[in-house]
Amino acid sequence: AAVLGFGARAQKEMGAFSDIALSRMLERDTGDLSTAMQTLSEQIASCSFGMHAKGFFRKMFGGAAELDEVRKRFERAEPKISACANEMTDRRVALMRDSALLERLYARNEELYRELCSLIVVGEEAIRQAKARGEQAHIVSRLERRVEDIRVTQLASTQLAAQIRMVQASGETACEKLRTAVEVTIPLWKSQMA
């Protein structure tokens, strides 16, 4: 019974922890982000000078009529762009919150990994001592299987750490794109329209 219980708590906790981390990773929705970026791009493009101009001279020299058209397109697009900016800001805050949660999950995974490493060392020593005492082969074999199971759990922990970091990096990239859109692209566009 002691052999079967060896490392069971850490493995059970690792299983529950993996479920939590996996559900957080699967919850991430980038669809809203791409829709907001696409809407922003379309609205900015709809106000571009020369976009709707026809004919060589009109494209080259524009005129008062084109400026009036651009002003009207700007007035129609500006509320949509402000809504996109608000949505992007909210999404960026959510991404930063997710990143902080993932950092805590990573730290907990690291604690579990270290605990599993300790269990492996203790298990290997127990196997060595059991062999030295001449324990029955089936007891030694069961202990070896438990240590191997703990090694598999340790490998899962290593893989989970890599996945957490990958999701964090993806979130940080998305967060940076949102920051650029809200703090650089939109103000630049507004200053060009002024």
Side-chain angles (χ1 to χ4, degrees):
V3 171
L4 290 176
F6 180 71
R9 186 198 58 75
Q11 285 183 301
K12 183 178 180 182
E13 189 173 342
M14 185 65 202
F17 174 76
S18 295
D19 290 343
I20 292 168
L22 180 62
S23 71
R24 285 302 297 164
M25 288 180 210
L26 292 176
E27 279 178 6
R28 298 176 61 85
D29 179 23
T30 56
D32 294 343
L33 175 60
S34 61
T35 302
M37 294 296 266
Q38 180 69 28
T39 301
L40 176 64
S41 177
E42 290 168 359
Q43 293 304 315
I44 287 175
S46 75
C47 296
S48 297
F49 285 100
M51 181 180 164
H52 302 281
K54 292 185 169 100
F56 176 75
F57 287 106
R58 181 137 186 208
K59 283 183 182 179
M60 291 299 292
F61 301 108
E66 173 145 347
L67 289 175
D68 192 46
E69 288 175 33
V70 170
R71 184 183 54 78
K72 288 177 184 175
R73 287 192 302 266
F74 170 79
E75 289 172 356
R76 283 191 305 268
E78 202 279 328
K80 292 177 186 174
I81 289 175
S82 292
C84 281
N86 291 338
E87 182 181 340
M88 289 175 174
T89 300
D90 292 345
R91 186 66 180 143
R92 184 171 172 228
V93 168
L95 284 169
M96 289 187 295
R97 201 174 315 121
D98 286 351
S99 182
L101 173 65
L102 287 169
E103 189 60 38
R104 288 190 304 273
L105 288 173
Y106 184 87
R108 182 61 189 131
N109 183 62
E110 191 172 28
E111 291 170 14
L112 284 169
Y113 177 83
R114 288 188 177 136
E115 184 177 343
L116 292 166
C117 289
S118 296
L119 286 168
I120 290 169
V121 169
V122 168
E124 288 174 344
E125 181 60 24
I127 291 168
R128 190 188 64 71
Q129 289 177 4
K131 286 179 179 178
R133 284 190 310 267
E135 292 280 343
Q136 296 175 355
H138 76 279
I139 293 175
V140 173
S141 176
R142 287 172 55 195
L143 189 53
E144 287 172 337
R145 280 193 303 267
R146 286 301 299 145
V147 170
E148 190 57 35
D149 289 346
I150 294 170
R151 276 195 175 96
V152 170
T153 305
Q154 179 191 35
L155 179 61
S157 174
T158 302
Q159 292 170 340
L160 183 60
Q163 290 171 332
I164 290 171
R165 287 297 190 221
M166 184 179 69
V167 171
Q168 274 185 306
S170 172
E172 288 170 5
T173 299
C175 199
E176 186 60 29
K177 286 180 181 179
L178 290 170
R179 186 198 66 75
T180 299
V182 171
E183 296 176 6
V184 177
T185 305
I186 293 172
L188 180 63
W189 172 77
K190 285 182 178 181
S191 72
Q192 288 176 345
M193 292 291 116

